[in-house]
């Protein structure tokens, strides 16, 4: 392992330092004691981790967070100071043997099956199935939920932005300052990348997860310069000839020539802004991307940018583009593109018309859809608050429900049918049609044979008797793999970039009407006939006496 | 230092491991290089960190996060691996001396003045004023924003819940599983406590911050028991006499007696639930608080709870109460209280009428207000998603703006007047009336004398010429203290419980109409006449040429 890798692993360990058994709700530990005390140490349970509703009024979710769940299982261990803390916190009458029991607990007898990270997933289909000692499986609940809920929510949010933005636009995550805490920011960067973003402004996320990092300068950089006298150096060596060029003189000259073309007086443009852009260009001659809205995009920013970009070109460098952080982004991006095209024409510099236009002002899915309708000319969106806080729906409601204990199925009834759990040890299959699209997800009892290609399968709504259909799959995908078994990782989770690719390939299997922004069609999740009858027999056995609900 | 303290400090260090200089936007580092390259190493700047709008449609905000900002300043240092990463990430032509410069950077020349953590604060009044070398002060921006934004948002949210719930109701934070990442959960627990919550379910937060932790059991605990045969032990020793008591027999007997009083047949109640509650009571006889809505609160949960609570009483223990996690919380809490009162009367056990009722189903500010109107009988709310994700407004928009450089004021103009910054090095004062209420916050230029008690002060709206008023303060509070100076903490931030008290005492200085939930009155933030003229002279000097905006 190189020293860089080991450094990066140390960083990771630091971040993961807080993902430990005490990162849980106290009731998991009080329940563990009650189970322990009532002799349930050898009880074996099955828990399903699933959600009930897709976020963002959509009809799909991206599953993420699996790798972090596996790391948590690997490191699951109560330290001496954890035990001490629990002894101080729980009531005095707790039997000391319980703490000895906790001290030795690991996840060696736990088995976790899961859907592949980065897959599209749907309500009620378990993302994780956790099997093993009741007490240990129960103790994992809160931490697994914490790790899956936000990761999946962020990845889904990012994937939605990618869909509305289209393939040809770059998406950058700029949300660190508005994120929910430092780790909220890091998770946002990571899962935004997985969901389809191209990079982040968050340097630590870049270092830890090997995600491209991007950024230029802020308004404060521009306002820190007042006049042309604020520039300390003006000389840059030509990229090829190494001849010294005076970037200030060249820029002032170009500003005059450009102003004639775009009909803006050079006097209207801010000299402080020009000084700032020249200084920035001197520092980053090959990566010159300038913020142009500090004063006025039309009358100052664009003119100053073009002047410096053309001056840089005289010195053998090509500018990258501009960023606009306020105002009417459709209008301003069109204005900027027209300006670049005029200049490209006037000075015979075709590349100038292709300069990058970045936009970054409080952008959300709706803004992008509206900009699309208006015919914007933006090449890249920098997205912050709405992305990282998932403003439209800031939590995914994954739950973790007991479905079997000692081989006996468990059902959680509720007056709200949507909250009734599907009992027992189950498998999940995705059935595909001949055109490659996913048709339906099917839950079966684990004792049933898997659906077969070309054979008709009866798919039933889990709770509505009349809703049923036969499906003849052209392809059957068993959704679960065993990821954790015998105290270690059994299937290695895929590296970040493969999970990122999985998101896009998995989304491609969904019909467009399921993915669309407005009134998407729900994807069907069904149960087998056997599982349907199993659910309803159990429901009947557990039905309350004396009331009709 | 005790071993516990040192353990807790290690935990803290682990959490703070990610709060480091690379937890920033890349553009801070590219700007630093551009400043460095243009000879601005010795430039001195003043930045203000402030927000423009109070969150949650309210008219106040609680400032929090200061202690974490100070820790960040203390530990500010680029490691070798950070420098290596930056060398790989920035363009090739960056001068190597810049990395040597970064390597040696610390916050020794930075001075940070701030408002006391836990204070009520208002739009445009800087929470932090950061002075020092331009490059270093700029490099702090993103991390300081990340640390202040979420902390203040959470503390404000929690304080709002406390206000609507009133003083006599307990508030517990139950949000870890829905938090935005593991650290989002820890921050939520910490700042909810500061804002006025009484405890959290998050065990690690309890350990790290010494916050009370609370919790009982989940529905899965109840559903893991099916019949009375699932109980492994039934014997508990009497609290005083140490005589063995059969809790199961007692509970079954009591269930019959109670069912007669509350007119519910014992056959309607779930035996699995009774088994679960008995097992839980055996584990926590002094802390018996039971979830009663797994099957049916009215027909099963309450009856089983009362049976076990009365059985425990026969063994010398007093139960604590119940938790309801679904359904009509107003109706069910009234039903539960009436049931407790009937039993208290029937069996001459007055304490039974005072049993605690905890409610915890997707509760937000509006739910509590509506429950208040309906006359609920809830003693304690457990609040999760809405609290920790700040669902109503998931980000506070703090910004960090350059206001002075090398003694010269800087103003950021904008077509949106609300976004114009107040330039220069300023002081902030809070003026109080004779009744102890805060009247107005006043920003002045630092060169002006402080307002004096009993002397009239002209307070002006920063941007509207006609809005002005004389105020004669009965008390003047200078809002800033220097917290960081000469490379170390200059004023120790207060411990958590004192910050928590500060929130309540600070809120008491606000008039009720400013704090109310519906259409609150805005609190006034003004500038002195001198500062007003200073702003507008500078605005004029920087006004664009050739357009009326």
């Amino acid at each position: 392992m190189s020293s860089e890798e080991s450094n990066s692993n140390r960083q990771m360990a630091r971040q993961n330092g807080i993902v430990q058994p005490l990162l849980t709700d106290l009731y998991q530990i009080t329940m563990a004691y009650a189970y322990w005390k009532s002799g349930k140490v050898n009880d074996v349970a099955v828990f399903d981790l699933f959600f009930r509703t897709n976020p963002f009024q959509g009809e799909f979710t991206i599953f993420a967070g699996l790798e972090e769940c596996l790391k948590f299982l690997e490191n699951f261990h109560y330290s001496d100071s954890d035990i001490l803390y629990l002894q101080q916190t729980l009531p005095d009458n707790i039997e000391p043997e319980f703490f000895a029991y906790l001290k030795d607990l690991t996840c060696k007898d736990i088995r976790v099956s899961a859907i592949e990270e980065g897959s599209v997933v749907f309500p009620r289909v378990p993302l994780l199935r956790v099997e093993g000692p009741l007490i240990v499986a129960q103790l994992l609940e809160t931490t697994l939920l914490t790790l899956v809920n936000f990761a999946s929510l962020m990845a889904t949010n990012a994937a939605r932005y990618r869909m509305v933005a289209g393939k040809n636009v770059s998406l950058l995550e700029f949300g660190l300052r508005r994120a929910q805490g430092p780790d909220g920011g890091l998770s946002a960067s990571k899962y935004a990348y997985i969901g389809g973003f191209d990079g982040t402004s968050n340097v630590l996320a870049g270092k830890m997860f090997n995600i491209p990092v991007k950024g230029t300068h802020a308004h404060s950089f521009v306002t820190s310069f007042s006049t042309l006298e604020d520039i300390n150096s003006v000389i840059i060596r030509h990229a090829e000839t190494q001849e010294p060029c005076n970037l200030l003189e060249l820029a002032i000259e170009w500003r005059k020539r450009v102003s004639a073309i775009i009909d803006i007086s050079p006097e209207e443009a801010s000299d402080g802004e020009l000084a700032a852009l020249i200084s920035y260009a001197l520092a980053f001659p090959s990566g010159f991307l300038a913020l142009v809205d500090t004063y006025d995009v039309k009358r100052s920013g664009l003119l100053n940018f073009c002047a410096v970009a053309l001056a840089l070109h005289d010195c053998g460098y090509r500018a990258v583009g501009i960023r606009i952080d306020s105002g009417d982004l459709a209008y301003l991006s069109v204005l900027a593109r027209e300006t670049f095209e005029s200049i490209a024409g006037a000075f015979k510099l075709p590349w100038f018309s292709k300069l990058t236009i970045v936009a970054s002002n409080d952008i959300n899915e709706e803004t992008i859809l509206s900009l699309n309708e208006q015919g914007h000319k933006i090449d890249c969106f920098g997205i912050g608050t709405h992305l990282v806080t998932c403003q439209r729906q800031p939590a995914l409601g994954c739950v973790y429900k007991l479905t079997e204990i000692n081989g006996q199925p468990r059902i959680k009834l509720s007056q709200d049918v949507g909250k009734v759990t599907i009992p027992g040890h189950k498998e999940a299959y995705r059935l595909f049609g001949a055109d490659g699209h996913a048709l339906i997800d099917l839950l079966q009892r684990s004792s049933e044979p898997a659906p077969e290609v070309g054979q008709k399968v009866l798919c039933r709504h889990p709770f509505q008797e009349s809703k049923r259909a036969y499906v003849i799959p052209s392809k059957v995908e068993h959704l679960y793999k065993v990821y954790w078994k015998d105290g270690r990782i059994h299937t290695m989770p895929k590296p970040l970039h493969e999970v990122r690719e999985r998101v896009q390939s998995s989304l491609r299997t969904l019909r467009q009407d399921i993915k669309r922004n407005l009134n998407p069609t729900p994807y069907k999740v069904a149960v087998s006939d056997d599982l349907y009858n199993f659910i309803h027999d159990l429901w009947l056995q557990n039905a309350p006496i004396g009331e009709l609900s």
Side-chain angles (χ1 to χ4, degrees), chain A:
Chain A
M1 188 185 288
S2 74
S3 84
E4 291 148 56
E5 276 171 303
S6 96
N7 270 321
S8 153
N9 286 352
R10 262 202 300 279
Q11 296 271 5
M12 214 83 82
R14 266 202 260 174
Q15 190 208 9
N16 288 318
I18 55 167
V19 182
Q20 47 175 287
L22 286 201
L23 188 76
T24 191
D25 294 306
L26 183 67
Y27 79 0
Q28 308 292 3
I29 295 167
T30 53
M31 279 192 277
Y33 178 62
Y35 281 139
W36 180 87
K37 196 161 158 64
S38 61
K40 288 177 166 283
V41 169
N42 295 318
D43 282 20
V44 175
V46 180
F47 286 88
D48 284 348
L49 188 155
F50 62 98
F51 59 91
R52 297 190 182 106
T53 316
N54 289 301
F56 313 121
Q57 298 170 295
E59 290 296 346
F60 72 89
T61 299
I62 303 292
F63 168 47
L66 178 59
E67 187 188 11
E68 296 197 47
C69 291
L70 296 174
K71 280 191 202 147
F72 166 62
L73 298 175
E74 242 177 343
N75 297 316
F76 187 95
H77 166 69
Y78 294 93
S79 70
D80 290 338
S81 80
D82 291 346
I83 298 292
L84 190 66
Y85 176 73
L86 291 174
Q87 284 170 329
Q88 292 161 349
T89 304
L90 292 169
D92 289 339
N93 65 339
I94 302 284
E95 297 177 32
E97 292 79 7
F98 174 65
F99 295 108
Y101 166 79
L102 280 188
K103 185 88 195 70
D104 289 337
L105 269 195
T106 67
C107 291
K108 72 181 165 51
D109 299 319
I110 290 287
R111 176 191 289 226
V112 176
S113 306
I115 296 180
E116 185 179 338
E117 188 162 8
S119 302
V120 286
V121 289
F122 303 98
R124 289 206 200 98
V125 179
L127 309 175
L128 298 181
R129 185 182 62 210
V130 179
E131 304 166 69
L134 169 64
I135 295 180
V136 187
Q138 180 70 64
L139 283 169
L140 302 176
E141 174 178 15
T142 305
T143 323
L144 293 180
L145 287 172
T146 302
L147 294 174
V148 170
N149 264 327
F150 185 54
S152 300
L153 186 73
M154 261 308 304
T156 308
N157 202 19
R160 295 179 61 87
Y161 277 91
R162 169 51 69 201
M163 288 196 319
V164 296
K167 282 180 196 163
N168 301 323
V169 169
S170 281
L171 293 177
L172 301 176
E173 177 269 312
F174 279 0
L176 175 58
R177 64 188 62 196
R178 303 289 164 81
Q180 299 205 336
D183 174 78
L186 283 171
S187 301
S189 305
K190 177 177 175 180
Y191 294 107
Y193 184 67
I194 282 179
F197 271 55
D198 298 293
T200 176
S201 65
N202 183 337
V203 188
L204 188 59
K207 183 183 177 195
M208 287 172 65
F209 309 122
N210 197 26
I211 299 173
V213 286
K214 303 283 178 187
T216 55
H217 65 84
H219 294 115
S220 61
F221 184 81
V222 178
T223 56
S224 78
F225 293 80
S226 294
T227 68
L228 294 174
E229 280 78 63
D230 287 344
I231 314 182
N232 294 38
S233 79
V234 294
I235 303 300
I236 185 171
R237 290 197 174 269
H238 191 283
E240 280 123 43
T241 66
Q242 301 297 315
E243 292 285 315
C245 312
N246 184 318
L247 201 62
L248 174 60
E249 282 178 11
L250 289 167
I252 288 176
E253 186 53 35
W254 274 114
R255 190 160 74 168
K256 284 186 207 143
R257 295 179 66 183
V258 171
S259 72
I261 291 170
I262 64 173
D263 196 26
I264 297 288
S265 153
E267 281 78 47
E268 293 186 38
S270 159
D271 281 353
E273 185 178 54
L274 184 64
L277 299 197
I278 289 172
S279 295
Y280 201 74
L282 287 163
F284 298 100
S286 317
F288 182 58
L289 197 153
L291 186 60
V292 295
D293 69 335
T294 305
Y295 300 107
D296 186 293
V297 174
K298 187 175 178 181
R299 292 167 190 279
S300 184
L302 269 180
L303 182 57
N304 282 328
F305 166 77
C306 292
V308 178
L310 291 162
L312 270 179
H313 183 252
D314 288 344
C315 311
Y317 293 99
R318 277 193 189 175
V320 173
I322 58 167
R323 179 162 72 94
I324 306 170
D325 190 42
S326 60
D328 180 334
L329 298 176
Y331 165 74
L332 292 173
S333 69
V334 170
L335 174 77
R337 183 65 68 212
E338 287 170 357
T339 303
F340 296 158
E341 285 167 353
S342 305
I343 290 170
F347 303 118
K348 308 266 183 299
L349 298 169
W351 62 272
F352 211 94
S353 66
K354 308 282 182 212
L355 285 166
T356 297
I357 300 173
V358 183
S360 59
N361 180 31
D362 209 22
I363 287 163
N364 59 26
E365 262 187 85
E366 278 61 44
T367 321
I368 297 176
L369 286 169
S370 157
L371 287 168
N372 288 347
E373 277 173 23
Q374 295 171 73
H376 71 81
K377 298 292 181 184
I378 296 161
D379 303 294
C380 174
F381 289 105
I383 305 177
T385 313
H386 290 280
L387 175 68
V388 306
T389 65
C390 299
Q391 191 135 7
R392 200 167 161 192
Q393 180 180 326
L396 177 66
C398 278
V399 294
Y400 186 86
K401 295 290 174 189
L402 181 70
T403 61
E404 191 179 284
I405 188 163
N406 299 328
Q408 298 301 308
R410 284 293 182 274
I411 190 167
K412 162 84 180 75
L413 298 179
S414 169
Q415 281 160 341
D416 175 359
V417 170
K419 287 194 165 186
V420 171
T421 61
I422 300 181
H425 192 287
K426 301 175 293 291
E427 300 297 335
Y429 300 92
R430 186 160 295 170
L431 310 187
F432 293 84
D435 63 356
H437 280 139
L439 297 172
I440 200 164
D441 278 12
L442 178 68
L443 293 171
Q444 296 194 160
R445 300 186 64 188
S446 296
S447 51
E448 295 180 67
E452 283 176 41
V453 168
Q455 303 289 316
K456 74 177 182 180
V457 193
L458 181 57
C459 296
R460 304 193 61 169
H461 187 288
F463 306 120
Q464 293 179 37
E465 210 204 337
S466 62
K467 288 197 177 173
R468 54 177 97 186
Y470 281 105
V471 172
I472 302 178
S474 297
K475 190 182 117 189
V476 173
E477 190 185 356
H478 181 199
L479 293 179
Y480 298 134
K481 282 201 189 82
V482 178
Y483 279 89
W484 178 267
K485 197 178 141 184
D486 300 329
R488 57 193 185 79
I489 292 174
H490 189 258
T491 305
M492 278 305 286
K494 295 209 167 137
L496 206 63
H497 68 275
E498 287 184 32
V499 177
R500 185 167 184 266
E501 283 161 21
R502 169 73 185 171
V503 171
Q504 298 307 320
S505 66
S506 189
L507 277 170
R508 276 194 293 275
T509 65
L510 280 200
R511 281 202 325 266
Q512 190 52 39
D513 59 313
I514 296 168
K515 291 183 281 190
R516 73 180 167 219
N517 192 274
L518 192 67
N519 298 327
T521 312
Y523 178 85
K524 301 272 188 312
V525 173
V527 297
S528 65
D529 193 48
D530 193 4
L531 180 53
Y532 180 90
N533 292 321
F534 182 70
I535 295 168
H536 292 269
D537 288 351
L538 204 63
W539 197 332
L540 213 60
Q541 287 167 34
N542 285 271
I545 295 165
E547 64 168 334
L548 194 65
S549 67

